[in-house]
Amino acid sequence: MAETSRRALRLLSLLAARGSWSLNELAARLEVSERTVRRDIDTLRRLGYPVLSLRGPAGGYRLGAGHTLPPLLFDNDQAPAVAVALQTAPHTVSGLGEDAARALDALEQVMPARLRAAVEAMRLTRLQNYWEFPAPPIEAAALQVAGSAVRRHEVLLAEPLGPGGARPDPGTAGFTPARRIEPHHLVVWAGRWYLVGFDHADETWRVHRLDSLHLHAPTGIRFTPRELPGGDVAHLVMTSYDRGDTPAAWECTGSARLDLPAETVARWAPGGSVVEHLDSGHCRLTVGAWSWAGIAGLLATFDTDLTDVRPPELVAACRRLARRFRTAAGPAGRPTAEVRP
């Protein structure tokens, strides 16, 4: 009986997806005999779905007007996938934000409690950024663990991963004991996933790159949510220079000392770059691009003095750009020719 019900639901979804189907097409898609398809058609009609027969040599069926589909059915993997897709896709296509949010709310209403909890765990905060470069895909299991802990206010145990995402063995170089974190927010910014929480190790708020953590199974230990510093998760994430970011893989990678505070540069640095705090008014920015001139151009957007530029290839690119800009500006004291559209 259960198999018949599942097949009937699949038949209904096929009829709803296309205007008409021939009998042999439906049998092939369902991998059953044509006689079984006819029985399933009768089952749908008894349930009140207007399945119309089409005349002709081949015959066929279509779903009549005025039908109402049953609640959508998702499995444990599909539900979180839909939740993440509806929240992230609107930021690559304009005008979909409100519609996608309403669609997610509607889907939650027709899901059973178990899957609704999984979808709610994927509720995330997404921040806008001018520089957004692709990051390695995050593991769905990590999103599920972190999202559930945020939703349920459960303490997380997490170990920082080593270079390349490796998990150092206890007693070896680079091993760091698991940290107890009170997770408060799951955030997407500049194409990267961050976990915002209160870290018990040093009793302070921290922003962690989610893909740089090995998350243990849920502890079941509940906590009372704390008040976020400043009350603005966007400001906290964007101005945190020690988020655990690592340089993205580029053809060229260079760095320079900027005469700006780390929290200012961190807010506007390209995704996949690293900001190192030096003192209250200075920081080092490491950034990648497909050319040395590209890195020089990115550094120039901060409109501040640059020193200790590395490596020599980046220094040479800065000199080339300086010559080009001097030429473009024209002789000193003489205005350049007016450019008319």
Side-chain angles (χ1 to χ4, degrees):
M1 184 63 184
E3 179 60 32
T4 301
S5 299
R6 283 194 294 268
R7 194 174 60 247
L9 283 173
R10 188 181 174 198
L11 173 59
L12 182 58
S13 68
L14 290 174
L15 292 170
R18 205 170 86 183
S20 63
W21 294 81
S22 66
L23 180 58
N24 64 338
E25 284 178 324
L26 289 173
R29 291 294 295 269
L30 295 172
E31 299 180 342
V32 296
S33 67
E34 293 184 359
R35 182 179 179 182
T36 299
V37 173
R38 291 192 184 96
R39 287 203 302 265
D40 290 341
I41 292 290
D42 291 337
T43 298
L44 291 178
R45 286 169 173 166
R46 287 196 299 271
L47 292 173
Y49 293 98
V51 182
L52 307 180
S53 298
L54 303 178
R55 295 182 178 181
Y61 301 93
R62 70 178 176 86
L63 198 59
H67 62 279
T68 302
L69 289 178
L72 294 177
L73 301 179
F74 294 102
D75 60 28
N76 291 340
D77 297 324
Q78 291 172 327
V82 170
V84 172
L86 284 173
Q87 293 177 88
T88 56
H91 298 281
T92 60
V93 181
S94 62
L96 295 183
E98 182 178 348
D99 293 335
R102 289 191 297 107
L104 183 59
D105 289 338
L107 282 175
E108 286 192 36
Q109 298 305 312
V110 298
M111 287 182 178
R114 173 179 54 83
L115 292 183
R116 189 180 304 122
V119 169
E120 290 176 352
M122 293 294 100
R123 290 283 186 175
L124 54 94
T125 303
R126 190 185 189 283
L127 313 180
Q128 295 287 358
N129 187 44
Y130 291 107
W131 309 96
E132 191 157 319
F133 299 106
I138 195 75
E139 291 291 337
L143 280 180
Q144 186 67 45
V145 170
S148 296
V150 170
R151 181 180 62 86
R152 296 172 59 84
H153 305 310
E154 289 186 354
V155 173
L156 269 177
L157 287 180
E159 296 172 23
L161 296 175
R167 185 184 177 194
D169 294 325
T172 62
F175 173 76
T176 303
R179 310 174 75 95
R180 289 167 56 90
I181 301 171
E182 295 178 4
H184 282 68
H185 296 275
L186 194 58
V187 176
V188 177
W189 182 52
R192 284 151 177 80
W193 294 79
Y194 297 94
L195 181 68
V196 179
F198 186 82
D199 198 317
H200 287 196
D202 44 18
E203 294 293 308
T204 189
W205 285 87
R206 288 196 175 275
V207 179
H208 297 276
R209 270 280 294 272
L210 193 59
D211 59 355
S212 68
L213 296 176
H214 170 74
L215 302 180
H216 290 242
T219 63
I221 303 173
R222 298 297 183 93
F223 65 87
T224 301
R226 302 171 187 259
E227 185 176 351
L228 192 72
D232 188 346
V233 66
H235 184 268
L236 178 63
V237 173
M238 291 190 294
T239 58
S240 295
Y241 57 85
D242 55 351
R243 297 184 293 257
D245 288 328
T246 55
W250 291 100
E251 292 292 326
C252 307
T253 302
S255 68
R257 182 179 188 269
L258 280 62
D259 291 354
L260 287 172
E263 58 268 22
T264 299
V265 174
R267 179 165 187 169
W268 306 111
S273 59
V274 174
V275 181
E276 178 187 357
H277 172 80
L278 299 178
D279 56 45
S280 60
H282 302 85
C283 68
R284 171 167 291 279
L285 173 61
T286 301
V287 64
W290 44 84
S291 69
W292 295 112
I295 297 176
L298 289 172
L299 292 172
T301 63
F302 288 93
D303 195 20
T304 188
D305 290 338
L306 307 175
T307 55
D308 193 18
V309 178
R310 309 171 189 169
E313 292 86 348
L314 178 55
V315 175
C318 290
R319 289 175 179 149
R320 290 195 301 273
L321 288 181
R323 289 195 297 269
R324 293 170 187 167
F325 288 142
R326 281 195 297 269
T327 300
R334 291 177 55 188
T336 58
E338 181 179 1
V339 178
R340 295 182 181 276

